[in-house]
Amino acid sequence: MADVNIKPITRLLVANRGEIARRIFRTAHEMGIATVAIYADSDARAPFVHEADSAIALQGKTSAETYLDAEKVYAACVASGADAVHPGYGFLSENARFAEAIMKRDITWVGPPTHAIEQMGDKLSAKQAMTDAGVPTLPAHELNVGDDLAKAAEAIGFPVLVKAAAGGGGRGMRVVESGADLEAAVESARREAEASFGNDTVFLERWLTASRHVEIQILGDNHGNVVHLFERECSIQRRHQKVIEEAPSSAVTPAIREKMGSAAVNAAQKIGYTSAGTVEFLLDGEDFWFLEVNTRLQVEHPVTEAITGLDLVREQLRIAEGEELGYDQDSLTINGHAIEARLYAEDPTKNFLPSPGTIQVWKPSSQARFDSGVEAGSEVSVNFDPMIAKVIAHAPTRREAAAKLARALETTQLHGITNNRDFLVATLRTPAFIAGDTTTDFIERVNPARTREPSPTEVSDAAIAAALFAQDRRRKNAKVLRHISTGWRNSLMPPERVRYAVGDNECALEYRAQRDGTFEMNIGGENHHITLHGVNGNQIDLAIDQRRITFSVSEDDANRYVHAPTGDVVLTELDRFPKPGIAEFSGGLYAPMPGKVLATEVSAGESVSEGQLLVILEAMKMEHRITAPIDGVVQEVPVSEGDQVDNGQILVVFEENEEES
Amino acid sequence: MAVLQSQLDTRSEQFRQNKEEMTAKLEQMDELYAEAAQGGGTEALERLAKRNKMPIRERIAWALDPDSPFLEISPLAAWRSHVAIGSGFVVGVGVIEGVECVILGHDPSVRAGAFNHFNSKKLMRGLEVARENRLPYVQFVESAGADLRGGGGGGGGGGGGTPVDPLLRVEGHFAESGRLFYEITELSKMRIPTISLVFGASTAGGAYQPGMSDYNIFVKNQAMVSLGGPPLVKMATGEDAEPESLGGADMHTSTSGLGDYLAENEMDGIRLLREVVGHLNWRKLGPGPSMPADPPIHDRQELLGIVGEDLKKPFDIREVVARVVDGSRFEEFKPRYGPTLVTGWASIHGYPIGILGNNGALMSESSEKASQFIQLCNQIDVPLLFLHNITGYVVGTDFEQGGITKNGSKMINAVTNSTVPHITVIVGASYGAGNYGMSGRAFGTKFTFIWPTAKIAVMGPEQMAGVMTIIQKASAERRGAEFDEAANSLREAAVMANAEEQSKGLFATSRVSDDGMIDPRDTRDVVGFALSAVANDAVKGTKEFGTWRM
């Protein structure tokens, strides 16, 4: 122990962005450590940049041009005068060469030693190390050029998972059910792996359709001490990416915990692992298989913090400074239950496709921990991960934690961007989830509601709130006659009329202000008497007949975001007047989100059949295949390979085949 | 500023009775409004809807800024006449794109928008309101022109009955009818923009409505503008004219240039109208509100019980003031001198105002006080509000010797030559020269409104009947004839009944002799509205009056 000296950290650069940068800054500031942020162009006004004591611009747009550019980040570390670098997760966090360069410069690397990153970072070598240590692993096959794909897959047995050796976050992963799709899946996994990690090595692994994803959090110091902080279960995934995580797992018995924990600690000790790390397993009944090691802090670390009372970033920083853990395995206990949900800018109704955009309204509930990188007005850009926030609830029991988290999500005001909130709430409230029946195929199997359908009353209430809020705004901003009673008439004139689109439905309402300041309103034939008790900021306090409700209303062009105690409703006010000169375009296929055209597979004049691939688009580091919706003839392909396209931009003009003429 | 205290006993029998009578009148008004809003009736409205056309109130409602107030002028015109109530024509002051405008137009559901005596008067009043208050002028044009069944010309009287009936009802002659076009043109010269939105036929003289306007929006497949319609063209030249090429919207916006904007349909036309008003760069020349606009501390509901049908029952005009002005604040001027006229300063919806209200007949002292007060308000550019409850100037030998005619003349001189805006509300009686002295309709008043139980006449019905009896008796004596008491009683009763009916507020308002009957509780909003409208022009007092009779 005398060979390790304490080396205090005074200025910490976080080589990351968004919520994780903020989360690390928070602990650093609590520990009296100055902080440095680095940022891409589009993050110039992001909260994490403001919260750091100083910041360095990376001058670039994409991940590759900024947070993934090891040379640029290294230069920033040197220029900032930081004496330590925390990589967060993703980006360069598992890049051993980068870690090495940092350490050579005598800057403290807040993470495991490079040899551990190297050995564990590559999924194949990690598997080998575990097999050697006697931990069960799933059959796998590394794919080299010229390999007989079919044979390799047959040997493993379908379904088979194509996986990037350097992967993470579900990128470069494909489940293949049969030999027919194998080649295309491998090709596209390689492309995605190359784009995301700069390494196109992929391998095949046995795919367990309905197992649980359970992982052990480990912590090791530079004095030979390694403990595990119990398990987390992260079975609920879409697109191979976790959305709901919890600790402890309802399926892990003390015996399994002991076996998994020991396996993880032993492996870590064997390779001299330090700092925080995660050993991932698949669990099926009593059996478990090693999957991979993540040599970094995990997105879902807060659930472990909640049940152990430890601050994992603090532990990482202490360890990096050379301190001893100061506790052993026996002194650690599990306190209650914690669940985390990841709030994403994605569309659950479109296979959880990312849906970048601008957050218009953001007001987190006070009933849960929110780790987020956004605020109202933040843009979720096409260039980075579309996570809005992690929301963590901690309660004495699992059932209470689930209820608390669902309600915290439900009462959070989030508008302006398509997101998975309603899906998360629905998932947390399914009997299957509450029963702890969570497996990796949970979403397909249980099929929780992808969106919340507000009830007719909720829609009508929201429309009333939106209409009277707008009414109040107009009266307050009126250029003339501002003090005259709203909608005042001395004779009988038609009522005020407003029409909203709510999803695919239309909601029309009519109202007349009464002499006593109340309103008589008609919505879809139903009459209501409304008393407007007051408007304060974006709060509107109404009595709708006998029911007294306070709503929050935010307006953005024609959109009206109404937050009621039962949840959010979005309405779009329809124009009173016809819009001139906009003829409807039909027969076009549009980009579902902003992205880059990877390939155009057809050209003008070509006849195509339903389902035929037309264009491949890359967006949010994922490939999206645009296929023909019906049989027809391509009229025009206005984009070409390499083009950057906007959401809604026409990719292919397409004419339906005429019925027999 | 002092806050007015109320002495009103809301539990008194008098209050209860007044409120009952007033409420009955308001219910009657509501029924009449509902009738007016029906336009030409259900069938006519259905016919209109089938042609994708809207009745006038719909058109206006869509043109207005949502939730903004709209003040309709003379909505009860033509009550108890051969014409539908409201006269098939709507005129009002409303807000388009934040600009107060005069908006008017025929209702196509009522006799295809034909002219009659009442709606001609309303149209001319609309032009006057635009001119006097410098308000942009918006006309929704769709008219069959003069109702030929009614005699023709601006003063036609409507149709029905035998062929000679219309002639009996002719109240004017064609030769007087061009004033409309003169005034539209005059507005333009005064730099008051005029906008025509043509929804339908506008032929013959009617073609000059858009012809003389600054901006013309023509609705496709509906607008039809030509000096002569196809029948007249046929009669005049023998040409078989095709309507669209003769005067259609498409032709006028592409070929003749009479139309400036082509609207796809009615709603598109209203959208274009809002765009045009939006670009007018309109700036009001008068001051905006400058005082706190807090509501009165006394309940405006109580305005229903202050005055009833029996105008002989006196009430304190301050009780009205206390329920109309901002915070019930009122700085009374000369309270101890000439107490039959209450004068003082207050504000309504933030606009400073000088108020003159009657608390009895006008005496020499109160007349002098009025003259001084009007001069003071002119000195400081403050508009005047006249609250009428006036039986007239006091009469009698002592008063004449005391100079009542002379002092009354001073007051009329002051009222006549005052140049600050005057707004008049007739809350009770308004008889004889009292009406003139209190800035009646004929005295250049910007807006005149009337409460439902009010009465207006040259004198009270009983006075009128009594005066006639005295004159008849004197005449009989001169002739040496015997005075027939029985016949006289009958005649007296008939005169009284007729005078009573004709003096009623509803009759006055139906003859477009004011700008409309209002719910007493709306007085504050109506006057506030009027004060804002008049401030489109400069609010400027004068020191120049006629010779003061001393």
Side-chain angles (χ1 to χ4, degrees):
Chain A
M1 321 224 162
D3 58 341
V4 178
N5 297 316
I6 300 286
K7 190 185 167 200
I9 295 170
T10 59
R11 180 180 293 177
L12 176 69
L13 182 142
V14 176
N16 216 303
R17 63 181 294 280
E19 67 90 14
I20 190 60
R22 283 178 107 181
R23 191 262 165 273
I24 295 165
F25 291 151
R26 177 167 60 79
T27 292
H29 291 149
E30 278 170 13
M31 293 172 73
I33 297 170
T35 55
V36 184
I38 54 173
Y39 64 95
D41 294 352
S42 58
D43 280 336
R45 282 191 298 262
F48 78 90
V49 178
H50 291 293
E51 284 171 19
D53 295 311
S54 60
I56 295 181
L58 295 178
Q59 290 173 335
K61 286 190 180 69
T62 63
S63 295
E65 289 166 9
T66 55
Y67 306 106
L68 265 178
D69 184 334
E71 279 180 34
K72 258 192 200 170
V73 177
Y74 176 78
C77 293
V78 173
S80 70
D83 54 12
V85 171
H86 193 307
Y89 55 73
F91 297 129
L92 299 173
S93 64
E94 291 173 284
N95 184 325
R97 273 178 298 166
F98 175 69
E100 200 172 351
I102 292 292
M103 285 188 270
K104 272 204 182 129
R105 185 85 191 189
D106 204 25
I107 295 172
T108 302
W109 172 253
V110 184
T114 48
H115 73 268
I117 300 177
E118 271 165 357
Q119 197 167 354
M120 294 299 159
D122 184 85
K123 292 181 181 181
L124 288 163
S125 69
K127 275 172 87 101
Q128 195 54 51
M130 284 295 169
T131 312
D132 294 348
V135 181
T137 58
L138 290 166
H141 180 92
E142 182 179 348
L143 291 174
N144 295 306
V145 183
D147 277 7
D148 185 338
L149 276 180
K151 214 169 137 192
E154 287 299 334
I156 291 168
F158 285 102
V160 69
L161 180 67
V162 184
K163 206 169 168 183
R171 285 176 192 146
M173 269 198 204
R174 301 281 186 281
V175 175
V176 181
E177 301 286 343
S178 71
D181 306 322
L182 195 57
E183 200 170 319
V186 169
E187 273 315 299
S188 102
R190 275 194 200 281
R191 264 202 303 271
E192 212 168 274
E194 174 66 37
S196 298
F197 316 109
N199 177 351
D200 72 349
T201 310
V202 296
F203 66 99
L204 301 181
E205 191 177 68
R206 176 74 185 279
W207 173 248
L208 292 182
T209 310
S211 53
R212 288 174 190 257
H213 179 111
V214 176
E215 60 191 29
I216 299 286
Q217 174 71 54
I218 55 169
L219 270 185
D221 66 13
N222 292 299
H223 306 269
N225 304 307
V226 181
V227 295
H228 70 81
L229 303 182
F230 317 110
E231 78 283 0
R232 292 185 289 259
E233 184 180 333
C234 320
S235 300
I236 306 210
Q237 308 184 351
R238 86 277 174 272
R239 305 178 74 100
H240 308 297
Q241 207 181 22
K242 303 157 184 173
V243 273
I244 292 177
E245 300 112 328
E246 58 185 306
S249 163
S250 59
V252 171
T253 60
I256 298 175
R257 184 172 295 131
E258 168 57 30
K259 272 166 81 179
M260 268 189 184
S262 303
V265 169
N266 289 341
Q269 265 167 340
K270 202 166 279 179
I271 61 163
Y273 194 93
T274 68
S275 194
T278 299
V279 184
E280 297 189 341
F281 298 94
L282 284 182
L283 175 70
D284 188 5
E286 300 276 305
D287 301 324
F288 62 85
W289 299 268
F290 167 79
L291 268 185
E292 62 183 63
V293 173
N294 292 317
T295 59
R296 52 169 164 88
L297 195 65
Q298 295 274 96
V299 176
E300 58 271 25
H301 74 275
V303 291
T304 300
E305 295 186 320
I307 62 157
T308 59
L310 289 170
D311 177 335
L312 289 187
V313 172
R314 176 169 175 265
E315 296 308 301
Q316 281 188 303
L317 293 172
R318 284 202 313 118
I319 290 165
E321 287 178 322
E323 280 203 35
E324 279 198 60
L325 283 181
Y327 43 80
D328 58 17
Q329 192 66 52
D330 293 342
S331 60
L332 295 165
T333 54
I334 296 174
N335 171 26
H337 199 100
I339 308 178
E340 172 183 285
R342 298 193 196 180
L343 199 49
Y344 275 103
E346 64 182 22
D347 189 346
T349 65
K350 291 187 185 153
N351 196 26
F352 303 97
L353 272 186
S355 55
T358 301
I359 295 170
Q360 300 295 346
V361 181
W362 173 241
K363 201 175 164 206
S365 155
S366 58
Q367 297 302 310
R369 169 176 165 182
F370 279 75
D371 282 12
S372 87
V374 303
E375 58 195 0
S378 290
E379 195 193 335
V380 176
S381 117
V382 64
N383 290 314
F384 304 110
D385 188 78
M387 187 157 76
I388 297 166
K390 307 185 306 204
V391 188
I392 306 101
H394 184 213
T397 67
R398 185 173 181 277
R399 191 183 58 77
E400 288 170 81
K404 193 173 165 185
L405 181 56
R407 185 68 183 148
L409 285 163
E410 187 172 66
T411 55
T412 288
Q413 296 181 30
L414 169 60
H415 281 303
I417 195 161
T418 306
N419 64 77
N420 66 340
R421 179 251 305 272
D422 294 340
F423 165 75
L424 293 172
V425 173
T427 303
L428 291 164
R429 286 177 178 164
T430 55
F433 183 84
I434 292 163
D437 179 14
T438 49
T439 49
T440 48
D441 65 344
F442 182 93
I443 293 172
E444 295 78 42
R445 178 167 55 85
V446 178
N447 195 20
R450 297 300 194 268
T451 54
R452 191 183 74 96
E453 252 344 291
S455 71
T457 306
E458 282 176 90
V459 171
S460 124
D461 286 357
I464 292 170
L468 291 185
F469 186 83
Q471 172 273 143
D472 182 77
R473 164 181 48 81
R474 283 191 289 265
R475 292 313 297 150
K476 281 178 180 156
N477 298 338
K479 279 200 271 182
V480 295
L481 301 169
R482 189 180 310 158
H483 300 294
I484 308 292
S485 313
T486 181
W488 179 85
R489 302 285 184 263
N490 60 325
S491 59
L492 187 60
M493 291 287 288
E496 299 288 348
R497 295 174 176 130
V498 194
R499 284 185 309 135
Y500 294 108
V502 190
D504 295 333
N505 299 320
E506 199 181 303
C507 173
L509 52 85
E510 296 185 345
Y511 62 90
R512 276 199 174 94
Q514 306 296 299
R515 187 172 278 102
D516 63 1
T518 64
F519 295 84
E520 291 298 338
M521 213 173 248
N522 183 291
I523 303 187
E526 301 256 331
N527 289 314
H528 297 283
H529 183 79
I530 321 288
T531 308
L532 176 51
H533 286 288
V535 177
N536 186 6
N538 72 336
Q539 307 265 101
I540 181 164
D541 178 0
L542 295 174
I544 302 173
D545 301 318
Q546 313 301 320
R547 298 174 299 122
R548 178 89 176 253
I549 309 173
T550 298
F551 300 86
S552 295
V553 182
S554 304
E555 303 179 315
D556 152 39
D557 294 334
N559 292 323
R560 308 284 176 260
Y561 308 116
V562 181
H563 179 80
T566 49
D568 289 358
V569 180
V570 182
L571 310 111
T572 305
E573 186 168 338
L574 298 174
D575 266 328
R576 293 156 64 82
F577 300 106
K579 268 204 168 45
I582 297 176
E584 286 221 356
F585 181 91
S586 60
L589 290 168
Y590 303 87
M593 67 178 81
K596 199 169 108 182
V597 177
L598 280 191
T600 55
E601 301 283 332
V602 290
S603 46
E606 214 171 301
S607 285
V608 294
S609 49
E610 184 182 331
Q612 187 174 333
L613 180 65
L614 306 177
V615 173
I616 305 179
L617 195 66
E618 185 202 57
M620 314 289 292
K621 296 270 167 268
M622 304 266 219
E623 284 190 5
H624 304 281
R625 300 159 70 87
I626 311 298
T627 57
I630 39 172
D631 296 350
V633 179
V634 174
Q635 302 290 309
E636 195 190 341
V637 183
V639 295
S640 49
E641 195 175 321
D643 282 3
Q644 188 70 34
V645 294
D646 281 335
N647 188 17
Q649 189 168 330
I650 294 168
L651 302 175
V652 178
V653 182
F654 184 83
E655 189 171 85
E656 185 181 353
N657 272 354
E658 296 260 333
E659 299 288 310
E660 283 158 46
S661 48
Chain B
M1 202 179 276
V3 173
L4 283 170
Q5 300 304 307
S6 178
Q7 310 295 325
L8 192 66
D9 181 1
T10 56
R11 278 165 302 184
S12 69
E13 176 55 24
Q14 186 60 53
F15 182 91
R16 193 200 56 73
Q17 193 187 330
N18 288 343
K19 190 173 172 182
E20 204 170 88
E21 288 166 1
M22 187 63 86
T23 306
K25 292 271 182 200
L26 291 175
E27 282 166 7
Q28 184 191 11
M29 265 167 71
D30 279 344
E31 282 165 23
L32 295 174
Y33 287 143
E35 192 184 327
Q38 271 302 305
T42 320
E43 270 179 45
L45 291 176
E46 278 169 10
R47 268 201 307 278
L48 212 58
K50 268 192 200 131
R51 289 153 60 210
N52 286 323
K53 290 180 139 195
M54 292 187 278
I56 185 66
R57 285 172 198 278
E58 291 284 339
R59 290 172 177 167
I60 292 176
W62 286 116
L64 300 174
D65 290 354
D67 307 303
S68 66
F70 178 71
L71 176 66
E72 185 173 347
I73 290 173
S74 292
L76 299 181
W79 173 73
R80 283 208 182 155
S81 78
H82 53 279
V83 178
I85 186 143
S87 72
F89 192 86
V90 176
V91 52
V93 182
V95 184
I96 301 174
E97 291 289 337
V99 179
E100 290 149 320
C101 301
V102 165
I103 307 164
L104 54 78
H106 281 284
D107 189 341
S109 81
V110 181
R111 282 191 178 159
F115 273 108
N116 56 55
H117 168 70
F118 295 99
N119 59 28
S120 299
K121 209 168 165 189
K122 277 172 79 167
L123 171 57
M124 297 314 287
R125 173 61 185 150
L127 281 158
E128 186 174 62
V129 170
R131 186 179 65 241
E132 292 200 335
N133 301 295
R134 195 177 159 270
L135 294 172
Y137 175 81
V138 175
Q139 54 184 2
F140 289 178
V141 181
E142 170 156 37
S143 171
D147 193 337
L148 294 180
R149 295 170 300 177
T162 68
V164 275
D165 282 349
L167 285 177
L168 299 178
R169 282 199 294 270
V170 167
E171 288 143 21
H173 188 269
F174 159 75
E176 301 167 34
S177 64
R179 186 73 192 175
L180 159 64
F181 313 114
Y182 176 96
E183 291 204 5
I184 296 173
T185 315
E186 190 186 31
L187 288 180
S188 181
K189 183 196 73 180
M190 292 171 77
R191 312 212 319 161
I192 299 172
T194 56
I195 305 165
S196 282
L197 176 43
V198 185
F199 286 104
S202 178
T203 49
Y208 287 112
Q209 271 188 281
M212 306 317 299
S213 297
D214 295 331
Y215 297 91
N216 285 327
I217 302 158
F218 284 16
V219 178
K220 204 162 144 182
N221 300 328
Q222 288 187 203
M224 174 63 212
V225 183
S226 62
L227 288 184
L232 182 63
V233 169
K234 178 78 180 166
M235 290 305 294
T237 69
E239 180 194 344
D240 285 312
E242 193 276 312
E244 270 303 308
S245 36
L246 180 68
D250 189 41
M251 186 284 286
H252 277 309
T253 51
S254 65
T255 309
S256 79
L258 177 64
D260 305 311
Y261 303 84
L262 178 67
E264 285 297 317
N265 52 40
E266 298 205 355
M267 282 301 267
D268 195 39
I270 294 168
R271 179 187 66 79
L272 285 164
L273 164 70
R274 291 180 54 82
E275 281 192 7
V276 169
V277 176
H279 86 233
L280 292 179
N281 189 26
W282 195 250
R283 289 146 299 175
K284 294 171 76 164
L285 299 181
S290 56
M291 314 280 274
D294 50 320
I297 60 167
H298 301 293
D299 189 356
R300 63 176 177 170
Q301 292 291 335
E302 292 164 1
L303 288 170
L304 297 180
I306 291 176
V307 55
E309 301 257 32
D310 185 357
L311 297 181
K312 288 202 288 283
K313 298 258 166 51
F315 62 91
D316 189 345
I317 197 70
R318 292 182 195 84
E319 297 291 357
V320 176
V321 174
R323 287 161 182 80
V324 170
V325 301
D326 295 337
S328 302
R329 290 179 297 272
F330 185 62
E331 183 206 332
E332 192 167 345
F333 175 69
K334 266 187 156 119
R336 295 156 55 81
Y337 185 81
T340 59
L341 184 75
V342 175
T343 53
W345 285 278
S347 66
I348 294 178
H349 284 301
Y351 288 98
I353 192 155
I355 297 175
L356 300 93
N358 305 114
N359 257 0
L362 284 162
M363 307 286 183
S364 278
E365 294 82 358
S366 34
S367 302
E368 285 183 327
K369 176 162 114 178
S371 307
Q372 185 186 357
F373 185 71
I374 291 166
Q375 289 181 71
L376 291 176
C377 288
N378 271 272
Q379 186 183 50
I380 57 173
D381 300 333
V382 167
L384 291 169
L385 172 64
F386 293 84
L387 298 174
H388 288 217
N389 182 26
I390 180 66
T391 50
Y393 286 88
V394 72
V395 293
T397 311
D398 286 352
F399 296 110
E400 286 296 348
Q401 291 180 357
I404 180 63
T405 301
K406 189 177 80 176
N407 290 319
S409 300
K410 276 184 203 153
M411 180 172 169
I412 294 173
N413 180 357
V415 165
T416 305
N417 293 302
S418 159
T419 56
V420 293
H422 294 185
I423 293 157
T424 290
V425 180
I426 299 163
V427 301
S430 186
Y431 292 145
N435 174 278
Y436 310 156
M438 290 295 286
S439 199
R441 176 77 151 180
F443 281 74
T445 303
K446 300 280 190 186
F447 289 98
T448 307
F449 301 98
I450 182 167
W451 280 16
T453 55
K455 293 189 178 101
I456 310 165
V458 64
M459 61 182 78
E462 286 160 42
Q463 288 78 14
M464 188 179 285
V467 166
M468 285 181 74
T469 300
I470 292 166
I471 294 168
Q472 292 287 337
K473 265 188 186 161
S475 163
E477 267 173 39
R478 267 202 311 279
R479 294 193 313 266
E482 196 179 327
F483 185 67
D484 185 345
E485 286 286 350
N488 186 61
S489 311
L490 282 175
R491 194 183 53 234
E492 204 169 53
V495 165
M496 258 173 70
N498 192 40
E500 172 74 13
E501 274 311 304
Q502 295 213 2
S503 72
K504 278 186 179 165
L506 191 51
F507 183 80
T509 203
S510 73
R511 267 54 197 166
V512 200
S513 71
D514 54 50
D515 292 313
M517 181 171 278
I518 59 169
D519 185 318
R521 294 167 295 183
D522 283 347
T523 307
R524 174 179 163 76
D525 274 351
V526 169
V527 176
F529 197 125
L531 286 168
S532 178
V534 301
N536 278 273
D537 201 357
V539 173
K540 193 98 191 84
T542 184
K543 289 302 273 179
E544 294 172 25
F545 293 88
T547 302
W548 300 109
R549 179 156 296 284
M550 295 298 177

